Amino acid sequence: MNKIILEKLIYKNYLKTALTSILFIEIVLIIIYFVANQNIVNTSINFILDDIKKSIYTNVDNITSLTEHRFEDIENLGRILQNEHQNFFKYNFKIKNPKNLVFKYAKNGMYYKLNDNGGSSVVVSKNTKITEEVESRLINSELFDDTFKSIVNNDEIIISAYFNSYDNTVRYYPFIKDIYNTFPSDIKMEDYDFYTKANLKNNPKKEVLWTDIYLDPAGQGWMLSVITPIYNNNFLEGVTGIDLTVDSIIDNFLNFKLPYNGSSFLIDKNGKIIAMSKEIENILNIKNNVKSKYPKNQKIEKTIYNNKEKSLLEYPNENFVNKLKNIVKDLDYSHEVIINDKKHLLFSEKIEKTSWYLISLIDENQVLSKVRNFEDYNKKLGYIIILLIVMFYIGFFLYLYLKAKSFVVTINTPILKIIEMTKSLGSNKNYEKLESCGIVELDTLSDNFNNLANELEERTNKLIESETRRISNEKLANTDALTNVFNRRYLEDFFASYIKILKREKKEFALLIVDIDDFKKINDSFGHDVGDFILKRLVNIIKDIIRENDIVVRLGGDEFVILLPNSNIQNARIIGSKIIDIINTTNKLEKEFKFSISIGVSEYLKSDFNIETILKRADKSLYKAKDSGKNCIK
């Protein structure tokens, strides 16, 4: 290739090409600007729509996650009530010297609690004979009220908690004055689905369940409940429930703000409306019957579902309905839908606990209004810019003709400086090798960049190798070699930092100490290989049960600590019980190498300033478990 220095190249081609190129540039710039302006508008529209989709999905996903967590919390409350009430019947708890309890017969024959002593209201069907046993249970079940009060008063979406017994007794919190006027005088629990759904036939696993939306017999309007059966051995003593009204769901889960005045609604898997904001009612031009109230003077003698509400799958808009069908079938769908001649963006997320779908709509005109204004502004600006470009190039041509020599010096000086600079600088990895272009100065610059790229690659490889060794050494220092969980050194380092978070943000924290029962005998009888096998098996069982952010630490020997951030001691006991149950189930299937564990529990207190104080309390609980016969949690 014949090479030429830049100075000669400029002088050689200037007079021949300057006039033609300037005229050509002006015409091309005019065309490019208008094409580019339209491309910018189209790109801006696509960018904004993509950004809106990401933003909406983030908002919808956040509220869905929040809803899932809230429903999970309410389910856990149901499990707590189930455990408490079953223990009440199992151990026959009694209140000593009950005070402020007055029961009497109403005019309609129902037996009820007359006075509000800060707890629940109580009423018994007129067909139930008030025996000494019934009277005793009405008094002793006042023990339920503290938990009822705590659940209802500390959660804004829970409006009531109740216990309905097999002999048609209702214990309902908060207190309802003259409760005998609320229910039918001959109330039968088996007439209500929320009671029969919990029995052994419909709920053989005796699990916590969610009801469909129904009309509350206690006059709170449309609601859904978490219900849990209460068994004494295999006898169904009754059903305990926690109520959420549809209005509370709207207030807490649908009134979140979306960009561009978006709004949301909830539907079930059949397309029926669970809850709907006022804005959605206006968009779809329908009325949400779920929000209507039942006349308070009419007693509800059986479960009444919201059959008035038509499925949105029957909505007279095929495009909208097809998208809803894809949503409830968990299929892909496009995000654009036209409703009443207006284009909307549609987003959805599924609430797994209840198989509901949270759907949000945003008017596309509101999203793109600023882009359209921007498009008009750019057109006006374009005409001005074109005029300035023409004027600029006329003056520039005259200036360039007079300053040609100065221009050569101007362009050569920085290029030569860059060449000198690149000789002493490092290079960057993944540089493509620069090709020779035929200009001496630029070819020299290319060669220097190629050299720098090679140097950068060598330095980067050395840095990666050094950093890999450092990370590997740090991990080995904090990890137990046998079980591959964290060791005590990590525990102390972790908690020294984490306790500052606990103090500052007032978070909950609990831990479990897990100790294998008679581990020395296992090692003596079967050898240390079997002992190591059991240690690894225990760790695998623990990891399968705890959450992803929970931490397992080996203190030493056969003793482990499970750290549970954002958990209290009650949740820790539940996790510990699950671990013991899994091990006991495994032992039944395992013919050899059986083992059991004992667990001690403790939680962080405001007075704690290090991990040792929490461990000591857990250790005391562990000793109690050992003294209680092992294979248990204390």
Side-chain angles (χ1 to χ4, degrees), residues 24-196:
F24 175 77
I25 287 173
E26 288 181 355
I27 297 173
V28 168
L29 283 177
I30 293 173
I31 297 172
I32 288 177
Y33 177 83
F34 285 100
V35 173
N37 179 57
Q38 190 59 48
N39 288 337
I40 289 172
V41 171
N42 294 335
T43 302
S44 298
I45 290 174
N46 293 332
F47 176 83
I48 289 175
L49 291 177
D50 288 342
D51 186 64
I52 286 298
K53 290 176 183 177
K54 293 177 182 178
S55 175
I56 297 302
Y57 263 126
T58 299
N59 279 274
V60 174
D61 185 65
N62 288 341
I63 195 64
T64 304
S65 297
L66 173 62
T67 307
E68 288 273 11
H69 288 313
R70 293 298 298 278
F71 284 171
E72 180 66 30
D73 290 342
I74 294 171
E75 280 190 11
N76 288 334
L77 292 175
R79 295 185 182 97
I80 291 171
L81 288 176
Q82 184 181 43
N83 185 62
E84 176 185 285
H85 294 179
Q86 289 186 158
N87 284 336
F88 169 83
F89 290 104
K90 180 178 180 180
Y91 299 108
N92 196 23
F93 289 121
K94 293 183 179 180
I95 295 178
K96 296 180 179 179
N97 303 320
K99 297 180 181 180
N100 300 325
L101 278 179
V102 180
F103 292 87
K104 65 176 293 186
Y105 285 95
K107 292 180 180 180
N108 61 2
M110 301 183 83
Y111 192 67
Y112 74 103
K113 179 178 170 182
L114 177 65
N115 58 318
D116 182 2
N117 61 352
S120 298
S121 51
V122 179
V123 69
V124 184
S125 170
K126 71 177 183 179
N127 293 330
T128 300
K129 185 178 179 180
I130 307 300
T131 63
E132 183 178 339
E133 179 186 354
V134 172
E135 184 82 21
S136 174
R137 178 157 32 87
L138 294 179
I139 294 172
N140 293 327
S141 59
E142 289 284 302
L143 291 170
F144 296 175
D145 289 354
D146 286 342
T147 308
F148 280 174
K149 289 169 65 176
S150 177
I151 288 174
V152 175
N153 295 342
N154 291 298
D155 196 325
E156 59 187 358
I157 71 170
I158 296 176
I159 57 96
S160 62
Y162 58 85
F163 170 74
N164 297 327
S165 72
Y166 72 94
D167 58 357
N168 305 316
T169 298
V170 177
R171 175 172 290 277
Y172 185 97
Y173 182 85
F175 187 89
I176 300 176
K177 185 180 180 182
D178 299 333
I179 190 172
Y180 56 88
N181 286 325
T182 301
F183 300 94
S185 61
D186 59 344
I187 183 172
K188 289 178 61 178
M189 294 307 157
E190 293 181 353
D191 290 340
Y192 298 91
D193 286 356
F194 59 79
Y195 187 91
T196 57

Side-chain angles (χ1 to χ4, degrees), residues 82 86 198-200 202-209 227-235:
Q82 184 181 43
Q86 289 186 158
N199 63 27
L200 197 60
N202 296 312
N203 185 14
K205 294 183 179 180
K206 303 176 183 179
E207 297 177 323
V208 175
L209 302 174
I227 55 174
T228 175
I230 308 301
Y231 281 89
N232 186 7
N233 292 323
N234 285 321
F235 178 74

